[in-house]
Amino acid sequence: MERIVDEVRRRLEENADEKTRESGRRFFKEKEMIATHGVRMATVGKIARESCARLESMPKEKIFALSEELWRSGYLEEGVIACAWAYHLRGQYLPEDFRVFEHWVEHYVDNWASCDTLCNHTIGAFVEKYPEYIGELKRWTASANRWKKRAAAVTLVIPACKGLFLPDVLEIAEKLLLDADDLVQKGYGWMLKAASQAHPEEVFGYLMSRRDAMPRTAFRYALEKMPAEWRARAMKKERA
């Protein structure tokens, strides 16, 4: 029987094309670093979903090891499938699994798409189950690794949309407030935007209290879901 990793790679190669590869690279500043097969993300998602059916009889540790093999390739699409496999296991997460996910962030994440895919779903589901690990995210904000800093914020995007962890969202935003990296700014701005859907008044109040210090990139991201009159008020203050 064909190994699942080999099968995934064969299917990616069968669905690859140069036009998709080149158009995909336009989304990344790190163009020279991004390795991609050139497969549309809708197709990658289909391959991921279908391959998950082959995982049902495997122990979690084996699936994590296979996911690591995909990550090691350096290919964007293989990392996305590794994330899907890990997220498939969310009902089996244990506290010690956090170190596996942290290892992936530290050693394999090298672009915003990999960061967001891993953090929004896999790590986000983990911290919903084990919220005491949000303290680890707060420690990530002091990292020299730009992706760990972005990860600290984007891990909470989906929980924040559900109205969860508002004090932690605001604390992480405060810790990242003056970061000069625009991808970190966009990450915590996105987190605040997500939180604003359930807690608009609290997030708007935070933004207005920090409007003179917060980088414009983060500020404008965070405002996107606010009522139009609030956005106008905030932007008027910004221009003043």
PDB file of all heavy atoms in Angstrom, residues 103-133:
ATOM      1  N   HIS A 103       7.167  23.620  18.595  1.00  0.00           N
ATOM      2  CA  HIS A 103       8.307  23.188  17.781  1.00  0.00           C
ATOM      3  C   HIS A 103       8.049  23.484  16.300  1.00  0.00           C
ATOM      4  O   HIS A 103       8.945  23.963  15.586  1.00  0.00           O
ATOM      5  CB  HIS A 103       8.544  21.691  18.005  1.00  0.00           C
ATOM      6  CG  HIS A 103       9.528  21.072  17.074  1.00  0.00           C
ATOM      7  ND1 HIS A 103      10.888  21.231  17.203  1.00  0.00           N
ATOM      8  CD2 HIS A 103       9.344  20.281  15.971  1.00  0.00           C
ATOM      9  CE1 HIS A 103      11.507  20.570  16.236  1.00  0.00           C
ATOM     10  NE2 HIS A 103      10.593  19.992  15.475  1.00  0.00           N
ATOM     11  N   TRP A 104       6.847  23.237  15.834  1.00  0.00           N
ATOM     12  CA  TRP A 104       6.529  23.507  14.432  1.00  0.00           C
ATOM     13  C   TRP A 104       6.623  25.002  14.137  1.00  0.00           C
ATOM     14  O   TRP A 104       7.148  25.394  13.087  1.00  0.00           O
ATOM     15  CB  TRP A 104       5.138  22.980  14.098  1.00  0.00           C
ATOM     16  CG  TRP A 104       5.049  21.477  14.096  1.00  0.00           C
ATOM     17  CD1 TRP A 104       6.089  20.582  14.169  1.00  0.00           C
ATOM     18  CD2 TRP A 104       3.863  20.692  14.023  1.00  0.00           C
ATOM     19  NE1 TRP A 104       5.618  19.285  14.138  1.00  0.00           N
ATOM     20  CE2 TRP A 104       4.255  19.321  14.046  1.00  0.00           C
ATOM     21  CE3 TRP A 104       2.509  20.990  13.943  1.00  0.00           C
ATOM     22  CZ2 TRP A 104       3.325  18.279  13.996  1.00  0.00           C
ATOM     23  CZ3 TRP A 104       1.585  19.946  13.882  1.00  0.00           C
ATOM     24  CH2 TRP A 104       1.989  18.616  13.901  1.00  0.00           C
ATOM     25  N   VAL A 105       6.102  25.833  15.039  1.00  0.00           N
ATOM     26  CA  VAL A 105       6.197  27.278  14.829  1.00  0.00           C
ATOM     27  C   VAL A 105       7.655  27.715  14.760  1.00  0.00           C
ATOM     28  O   VAL A 105       8.057  28.492  13.885  1.00  0.00           O
ATOM     29  CB  VAL A 105       5.463  28.044  15.956  1.00  0.00           C
ATOM     30  CG1 VAL A 105       5.708  29.550  15.828  1.00  0.00           C
ATOM     31  CG2 VAL A 105       3.962  27.753  15.923  1.00  0.00           C
ATOM     32  N   GLU A 106       8.469  27.206  15.680  1.00  0.00           N
ATOM     33  CA  GLU A 106       9.869  27.629  15.767  1.00  0.00           C
ATOM     34  C   GLU A 106      10.707  27.152  14.597  1.00  0.00           C
ATOM     35  O   GLU A 106      11.614  27.865  14.138  1.00  0.00           O
ATOM     36  CB  GLU A 106      10.483  27.111  17.062  1.00  0.00           C
ATOM     37  CG  GLU A 106       9.938  27.792  18.319  1.00  0.00           C
ATOM     38  CD  GLU A 106      10.499  27.191  19.590  1.00  0.00           C
ATOM     39  OE1 GLU A 106      10.997  26.038  19.543  1.00  0.00           O
ATOM     40  OE2 GLU A 106      10.433  27.857  20.628  1.00  0.00           O
ATOM     41  N   HIS A 107      10.435  25.952  14.093  1.00  0.00           N
ATOM     42  CA  HIS A 107      11.351  25.331  13.132  1.00  0.00           C
ATOM     43  C   HIS A 107      10.846  25.294  11.692  1.00  0.00           C
ATOM     44  O   HIS A 107      11.664  25.158  10.770  1.00  0.00           O
ATOM     45  CB  HIS A 107      11.689  23.908  13.583  1.00  0.00           C
ATOM     46  CG  HIS A 107      12.502  23.869  14.842  1.00  0.00           C
ATOM     47  ND1 HIS A 107      13.872  23.973  14.849  1.00  0.00           N
ATOM     48  CD2 HIS A 107      12.124  23.778  16.142  1.00  0.00           C
ATOM     49  CE1 HIS A 107      14.319  23.929  16.094  1.00  0.00           C
ATOM     50  NE2 HIS A 107      13.274  23.816  16.895  1.00  0.00           N
ATOM     51  N   TYR A 108       9.546  25.415  11.468  1.00  0.00           N
ATOM     52  CA  TYR A 108       9.026  25.233  10.110  1.00  0.00           C
ATOM     53  C   TYR A 108       8.221  26.413   9.570  1.00  0.00           C
ATOM     54  O   TYR A 108       8.154  26.583   8.352  1.00  0.00           O
ATOM     55  CB  TYR A 108       8.161  23.966  10.040  1.00  0.00           C
ATOM     56  CG  TYR A 108       8.910  22.722  10.450  1.00  0.00           C
ATOM     57  CD1 TYR A 108       8.467  21.929  11.502  1.00  0.00           C
ATOM     58  CD2 TYR A 108      10.089  22.352   9.799  1.00  0.00           C
ATOM     59  CE1 TYR A 108       9.166  20.797  11.888  1.00  0.00           C
ATOM     60  CE2 TYR A 108      10.802  21.219  10.179  1.00  0.00           C
ATOM     61  CZ  TYR A 108      10.331  20.445  11.219  1.00  0.00           C
ATOM     62  OH  TYR A 108      11.022  19.331  11.609  1.00  0.00           O
ATOM     63  N   VAL A 109       7.599  27.181  10.430  1.00  0.00           N
ATOM     64  CA  VAL A 109       6.782  28.300   9.938  1.00  0.00           C
ATOM     65  C   VAL A 109       7.702  29.416   9.458  1.00  0.00           C
ATOM     66  O   VAL A 109       8.525  29.923  10.228  1.00  0.00           O
ATOM     67  CB  VAL A 109       5.831  28.803  11.042  1.00  0.00           C
ATOM     68  CG1 VAL A 109       5.191  30.125  10.632  1.00  0.00           C
ATOM     69  CG2 VAL A 109       4.761  27.759  11.338  1.00  0.00           C
ATOM     70  N   ASP A 110       7.565  29.781   8.177  1.00  0.00           N
ATOM     71  CA  ASP A 110       8.423  30.834   7.617  1.00  0.00           C
ATOM     72  C   ASP A 110       7.639  31.787   6.717  1.00  0.00           C
ATOM     73  O   ASP A 110       8.222  32.516   5.915  1.00  0.00           O
ATOM     74  CB  ASP A 110       9.597  30.219   6.843  1.00  0.00           C
ATOM     75  CG  ASP A 110       9.167  29.380   5.650  1.00  0.00           C
ATOM     76  OD1 ASP A 110       7.945  29.303   5.366  1.00  0.00           O
ATOM     77  OD2 ASP A 110      10.038  28.795   4.984  1.00  0.00           O
ATOM     78  N   ASN A 111       6.316  31.801   6.860  1.00  0.00           N
ATOM     79  CA  ASN A 111       5.484  32.722   6.093  1.00  0.00           C
ATOM     80  C   ASN A 111       4.143  32.867   6.800  1.00  0.00           C
ATOM     81  O   ASN A 111       3.769  32.049   7.640  1.00  0.00           O
ATOM     82  CB  ASN A 111       5.294  32.232   4.651  1.00  0.00           C
ATOM     83  CG  ASN A 111       4.586  30.897   4.590  1.00  0.00           C
ATOM     84  OD1 ASN A 111       3.365  30.832   4.686  1.00  0.00           O
ATOM     85  ND2 ASN A 111       5.352  29.815   4.446  1.00  0.00           N
ATOM     86  N   TRP A 112       3.399  33.926   6.447  1.00  0.00           N
ATOM     87  CA  TRP A 112       2.154  34.200   7.168  1.00  0.00           C
ATOM     88  C   TRP A 112       1.089  33.137   6.918  1.00  0.00           C
ATOM     89  O   TRP A 112       0.263  32.847   7.800  1.00  0.00           O
ATOM     90  CB  TRP A 112       1.616  35.588   6.820  1.00  0.00           C
ATOM     91  CG  TRP A 112       1.288  35.812   5.373  1.00  0.00           C
ATOM     92  CD1 TRP A 112       2.070  36.428   4.442  1.00  0.00           C
ATOM     93  CD2 TRP A 112       0.082  35.428   4.697  1.00  0.00           C
ATOM     94  NE1 TRP A 112       1.432  36.440   3.220  1.00  0.00           N
ATOM     95  CE2 TRP A 112       0.204  35.841   3.345  1.00  0.00           C
ATOM     96  CE3 TRP A 112      -1.089  34.777   5.099  1.00  0.00           C
ATOM     97  CZ2 TRP A 112      -0.795  35.608   2.409  1.00  0.00           C
ATOM     98  CZ3 TRP A 112      -2.091  34.551   4.154  1.00  0.00           C
ATOM     99  CH2 TRP A 112      -1.937  34.962   2.823  1.00  0.00           C
ATOM    100  N   ALA A 113       1.076  32.520   5.745  1.00  0.00           N
ATOM    101  CA  ALA A 113       0.033  31.527   5.451  1.00  0.00           C
ATOM    102  C   ALA A 113       0.202  30.283   6.321  1.00  0.00           C
ATOM    103  O   ALA A 113      -0.776  29.765   6.883  1.00  0.00           O
ATOM    104  CB  ALA A 113       0.068  31.153   3.975  1.00  0.00           C
ATOM    105  N   SER A 114       1.424  29.801   6.449  1.00  0.00           N
ATOM    106  CA  SER A 114       1.668  28.650   7.321  1.00  0.00           C
ATOM    107  C   SER A 114       1.371  29.000   8.774  1.00  0.00           C
ATOM    108  O   SER A 114       0.788  28.210   9.515  1.00  0.00           O
ATOM    109  CB  SER A 114       3.117  28.193   7.183  1.00  0.00           C
ATOM    110  OG  SER A 114       3.374  27.685   5.902  1.00  0.00           O
ATOM    111  N   CYS A 115       1.794  30.195   9.173  1.00  0.00           N
ATOM    112  CA  CYS A 115       1.558  30.648  10.543  1.00  0.00           C
ATOM    113  C   CYS A 115       0.065  30.665  10.851  1.00  0.00           C
ATOM    114  O   CYS A 115      -0.397  30.106  11.852  1.00  0.00           O
ATOM    115  CB  CYS A 115       2.160  32.030  10.736  1.00  0.00           C
ATOM    116  SG  CYS A 115       2.006  32.683  12.413  1.00  0.00           S
ATOM    117  N   ASP A 116      -0.715  31.278   9.970  1.00  0.00           N
ATOM    118  CA  ASP A 116      -2.136  31.445  10.233  1.00  0.00           C
ATOM    119  C   ASP A 116      -2.884  30.124  10.169  1.00  0.00           C
ATOM    120  O   ASP A 116      -3.809  29.881  10.958  1.00  0.00           O
ATOM    121  CB  ASP A 116      -2.735  32.447   9.250  1.00  0.00           C
ATOM    122  CG  ASP A 116      -2.136  33.841   9.395  1.00  0.00           C
ATOM    123  OD1 ASP A 116      -1.299  34.043  10.304  1.00  0.00           O
ATOM    124  OD2 ASP A 116      -2.480  34.719   8.589  1.00  0.00           O
ATOM    125  N   THR A 117      -2.510  29.246   9.241  1.00  0.00           N
ATOM    126  CA  THR A 117      -3.180  27.956   9.130  1.00  0.00           C
ATOM    127  C   THR A 117      -2.953  27.117  10.384  1.00  0.00           C
ATOM    128  O   THR A 117      -3.894  26.542  10.938  1.00  0.00           O
ATOM    129  CB  THR A 117      -2.681  27.192   7.896  1.00  0.00           C
ATOM    130  OG1 THR A 117      -2.911  27.986   6.722  1.00  0.00           O
ATOM    131  CG2 THR A 117      -3.411  25.866   7.740  1.00  0.00           C
ATOM    132  N   LEU A 118      -1.716  27.060  10.845  1.00  0.00           N
ATOM    133  CA  LEU A 118      -1.406  26.296  12.048  1.00  0.00           C
ATOM    134  C   LEU A 118      -2.063  26.900  13.281  1.00  0.00           C
ATOM    135  O   LEU A 118      -2.654  26.187  14.102  1.00  0.00           O
ATOM    136  CB  LEU A 118       0.113  26.230  12.238  1.00  0.00           C
ATOM    137  CG  LEU A 118       0.622  25.578  13.520  1.00  0.00           C
ATOM    138  CD1 LEU A 118       0.160  24.130  13.635  1.00  0.00           C
ATOM    139  CD2 LEU A 118       2.145  25.652  13.587  1.00  0.00           C
ATOM    140  N   CYS A 119      -1.998  28.213  13.410  1.00  0.00           N
ATOM    141  CA  CYS A 119      -2.443  28.858  14.649  1.00  0.00           C
ATOM    142  C   CYS A 119      -3.947  29.015  14.727  1.00  0.00           C
ATOM    143  O   CYS A 119      -4.547  28.771  15.781  1.00  0.00           O
ATOM    144  CB  CYS A 119      -1.753  30.203  14.800  1.00  0.00           C
ATOM    145  SG  CYS A 119       0.034  30.041  14.993  1.00  0.00           S
ATOM    146  N   ASN A 120      -4.585  29.437  13.637  1.00  0.00           N
ATOM    147  CA  ASN A 120      -6.035  29.633  13.681  1.00  0.00           C
ATOM    148  C   ASN A 120      -6.758  28.354  14.095  1.00  0.00           C
ATOM    149  O   ASN A 120      -7.713  28.412  14.880  1.00  0.00           O
ATOM    150  CB  ASN A 120      -6.574  30.052  12.312  1.00  0.00           C
ATOM    151  CG  ASN A 120      -6.317  31.507  11.955  1.00  0.00           C
ATOM    152  OD1 ASN A 120      -6.621  31.924  10.861  1.00  0.00           O
ATOM    153  ND2 ASN A 120      -5.754  32.286  12.856  1.00  0.00           N
ATOM    154  N   HIS A 121      -6.330  27.259  13.572  1.00  0.00           N
ATOM    155  CA  HIS A 121      -7.083  26.017  13.762  1.00  0.00           C
ATOM    156  C   HIS A 121      -6.439  25.100  14.805  1.00  0.00           C
ATOM    157  O   HIS A 121      -7.005  24.885  15.880  1.00  0.00           O
ATOM    158  CB  HIS A 121      -7.255  25.317  12.421  1.00  0.00           C
ATOM    159  CG  HIS A 121      -7.945  26.176  11.413  1.00  0.00           C
ATOM    160  ND1 HIS A 121      -9.276  26.503  11.484  1.00  0.00           N
ATOM    161  CD2 HIS A 121      -7.467  26.831  10.325  1.00  0.00           C
ATOM    162  CE1 HIS A 121      -9.604  27.301  10.496  1.00  0.00           C
ATOM    163  NE2 HIS A 121      -8.520  27.519   9.766  1.00  0.00           N
ATOM    164  N   THR A 122      -5.252  24.590  14.520  1.00  0.00           N
ATOM    165  CA  THR A 122      -4.640  23.607  15.409  1.00  0.00           C
ATOM    166  C   THR A 122      -4.383  24.180  16.798  1.00  0.00           C
ATOM    167  O   THR A 122      -4.884  23.656  17.809  1.00  0.00           O
ATOM    168  CB  THR A 122      -3.318  23.108  14.796  1.00  0.00           C
ATOM    169  OG1 THR A 122      -3.578  22.593  13.493  1.00  0.00           O
ATOM    170  CG2 THR A 122      -2.706  22.019  15.662  1.00  0.00           C
ATOM    171  N   ILE A 123      -3.611  25.264  16.871  1.00  0.00           N
ATOM    172  CA  ILE A 123      -3.257  25.798  18.187  1.00  0.00           C
ATOM    173  C   ILE A 123      -4.447  26.521  18.809  1.00  0.00           C
ATOM    174  O   ILE A 123      -4.642  26.494  20.030  1.00  0.00           O
ATOM    175  CB  ILE A 123      -2.006  26.692  18.113  1.00  0.00           C
ATOM    176  CG1 ILE A 123      -0.854  25.963  17.407  1.00  0.00           C
ATOM    177  CG2 ILE A 123      -1.571  27.105  19.518  1.00  0.00           C
ATOM    178  CD1 ILE A 123       0.439  26.765  17.286  1.00  0.00           C
ATOM    179  N   GLY A 124      -5.273  27.154  17.979  1.00  0.00           N
ATOM    180  CA  GLY A 124      -6.471  27.789  18.497  1.00  0.00           C
ATOM    181  C   GLY A 124      -7.389  26.800  19.182  1.00  0.00           C
ATOM    182  O   GLY A 124      -7.921  27.073  20.272  1.00  0.00           O
ATOM    183  N   ALA A 125      -7.597  25.625  18.559  1.00  0.00           N
ATOM    184  CA  ALA A 125      -8.425  24.588  19.186  1.00  0.00           C
ATOM    185  C   ALA A 125      -7.786  24.084  20.474  1.00  0.00           C
ATOM    186  O   ALA A 125      -8.473  23.781  21.455  1.00  0.00           O
ATOM    187  CB  ALA A 125      -8.638  23.442  18.204  1.00  0.00           C
ATOM    188  N   PHE A 126      -6.448  24.004  20.471  1.00  0.00           N
ATOM    189  CA  PHE A 126      -5.743  23.548  21.670  1.00  0.00           C
ATOM    190  C   PHE A 126      -5.982  24.498  22.841  1.00  0.00           C
ATOM    191  O   PHE A 126      -6.291  24.057  23.957  1.00  0.00           O
ATOM    192  CB  PHE A 126      -4.243  23.412  21.388  1.00  0.00           C
ATOM    193  CG  PHE A 126      -3.449  23.009  22.596  1.00  0.00           C
ATOM    194  CD1 PHE A 126      -3.225  21.678  22.887  1.00  0.00           C
ATOM    195  CD2 PHE A 126      -2.946  23.967  23.471  1.00  0.00           C
ATOM    196  CE1 PHE A 126      -2.516  21.301  24.031  1.00  0.00           C
ATOM    197  CE2 PHE A 126      -2.238  23.603  24.602  1.00  0.00           C
ATOM    198  CZ  PHE A 126      -2.021  22.266  24.885  1.00  0.00           C
ATOM    199  N   VAL A 127      -5.840  25.809  22.632  1.00  0.00           N
ATOM    200  CA  VAL A 127      -5.981  26.726  23.760  1.00  0.00           C
ATOM    201  C   VAL A 127      -7.435  26.876  24.197  1.00  0.00           C
ATOM    202  O   VAL A 127      -7.695  27.211  25.365  1.00  0.00           O
ATOM    203  CB  VAL A 127      -5.338  28.112  23.487  1.00  0.00           C
ATOM    204  CG1 VAL A 127      -3.848  27.970  23.260  1.00  0.00           C
ATOM    205  CG2 VAL A 127      -6.032  28.852  22.353  1.00  0.00           C
ATOM    206  N   GLU A 128      -8.378  26.603  23.309  1.00  0.00           N
ATOM    207  CA  GLU A 128      -9.771  26.551  23.772  1.00  0.00           C
ATOM    208  C   GLU A 128      -9.956  25.395  24.750  1.00  0.00           C
ATOM    209  O   GLU A 128     -10.711  25.508  25.721  1.00  0.00           O
ATOM    210  CB  GLU A 128     -10.724  26.409  22.591  1.00  0.00           C
ATOM    211  CG  GLU A 128     -10.952  27.693  21.823  1.00  0.00           C
ATOM    212  CD  GLU A 128     -12.164  27.617  20.911  1.00  0.00           C
ATOM    213  OE1 GLU A 128     -13.214  27.103  21.358  1.00  0.00           O
ATOM    214  OE2 GLU A 128     -12.061  28.071  19.757  1.00  0.00           O
ATOM    215  N   LYS A 129      -9.274  24.300  24.502  1.00  0.00           N
ATOM    216  CA  LYS A 129      -9.368  23.128  25.390  1.00  0.00           C
ATOM    217  C   LYS A 129      -8.541  23.317  26.649  1.00  0.00           C
ATOM    218  O   LYS A 129      -8.935  22.898  27.740  1.00  0.00           O
ATOM    219  CB  LYS A 129      -8.911  21.883  24.626  1.00  0.00           C
ATOM    220  CG  LYS A 129      -9.139  20.585  25.380  1.00  0.00           C
ATOM    221  CD  LYS A 129      -8.841  19.380  24.489  1.00  0.00           C
ATOM    222  CE  LYS A 129      -9.158  18.074  25.227  1.00  0.00           C
ATOM    223  NZ  LYS A 129      -8.923  16.888  24.355  1.00  0.00           N
ATOM    224  N   TYR A 130      -7.386  23.971  26.501  1.00  0.00           N
ATOM    225  CA  TYR A 130      -6.466  24.171  27.631  1.00  0.00           C
ATOM    226  C   TYR A 130      -6.106  25.659  27.729  1.00  0.00           C
ATOM    227  O   TYR A 130      -4.999  26.069  27.376  1.00  0.00           O
ATOM    228  CB  TYR A 130      -5.196  23.336  27.445  1.00  0.00           C
ATOM    229  CG  TYR A 130      -5.451  21.847  27.356  1.00  0.00           C
ATOM    230  CD1 TYR A 130      -5.322  21.170  26.142  1.00  0.00           C
ATOM    231  CD2 TYR A 130      -5.833  21.121  28.488  1.00  0.00           C
ATOM    232  CE1 TYR A 130      -5.557  19.806  26.056  1.00  0.00           C
ATOM    233  CE2 TYR A 130      -6.078  19.754  28.403  1.00  0.00           C
ATOM    234  CZ  TYR A 130      -5.946  19.106  27.187  1.00  0.00           C
ATOM    235  OH  TYR A 130      -6.177  17.752  27.109  1.00  0.00           O
ATOM    236  N   PRO A 131      -7.032  26.492  28.193  1.00  0.00           N
ATOM    237  CA  PRO A 131      -6.791  27.944  28.194  1.00  0.00           C
ATOM    238  C   PRO A 131      -5.630  28.380  29.073  1.00  0.00           C
ATOM    239  O   PRO A 131      -5.121  29.495  28.892  1.00  0.00           O
ATOM    240  CB  PRO A 131      -8.121  28.528  28.687  1.00  0.00           C
ATOM    241  CG  PRO A 131      -8.843  27.405  29.340  1.00  0.00           C
ATOM    242  CD  PRO A 131      -8.399  26.161  28.638  1.00  0.00           C
ATOM    243  N   GLU A 132      -5.189  27.526  29.982  1.00  0.00           N
ATOM    244  CA  GLU A 132      -4.028  27.894  30.795  1.00  0.00           C
ATOM    245  C   GLU A 132      -2.770  28.089  29.934  1.00  0.00           C
ATOM    246  O   GLU A 132      -1.816  28.755  30.362  1.00  0.00           O
ATOM    247  CB  GLU A 132      -3.760  26.839  31.868  1.00  0.00           C
ATOM    248  CG  GLU A 132      -3.438  25.438  31.364  1.00  0.00           C
ATOM    249  CD  GLU A 132      -4.653  24.538  31.165  1.00  0.00           C
ATOM    250  OE1 GLU A 132      -5.762  25.078  30.942  1.00  0.00           O
ATOM    251  OE2 GLU A 132      -4.480  23.301  31.215  1.00  0.00           O
ATOM    252  N   TYR A 133      -2.777  27.560  28.719  1.00  0.00           N
ATOM    253  CA  TYR A 133      -1.618  27.714  27.831  1.00  0.00           C
ATOM    254  C   TYR A 133      -1.596  29.064  27.125  1.00  0.00           C
ATOM    255  O   TYR A 133      -0.637  29.366  26.411  1.00  0.00           O
ATOM    256  CB  TYR A 133      -1.555  26.560  26.826  1.00  0.00           C
ATOM    257  CG  TYR A 133      -0.897  25.341  27.424  1.00  0.00           C
ATOM    258  CD1 TYR A 133      -1.628  24.475  28.223  1.00  0.00           C
ATOM    259  CD2 TYR A 133       0.458  25.090  27.245  1.00  0.00           C
ATOM    260  CE1 TYR A 133      -1.031  23.374  28.822  1.00  0.00           C
ATOM    261  CE2 TYR A 133       1.067  23.996  27.826  1.00  0.00           C
ATOM    262  CZ  TYR A 133       0.317  23.137  28.615  1.00  0.00           C
ATOM    263  OH  TYR A 133       0.918  22.053  29.217  1.00  0.00           O
TER     264      TYR A 133
END
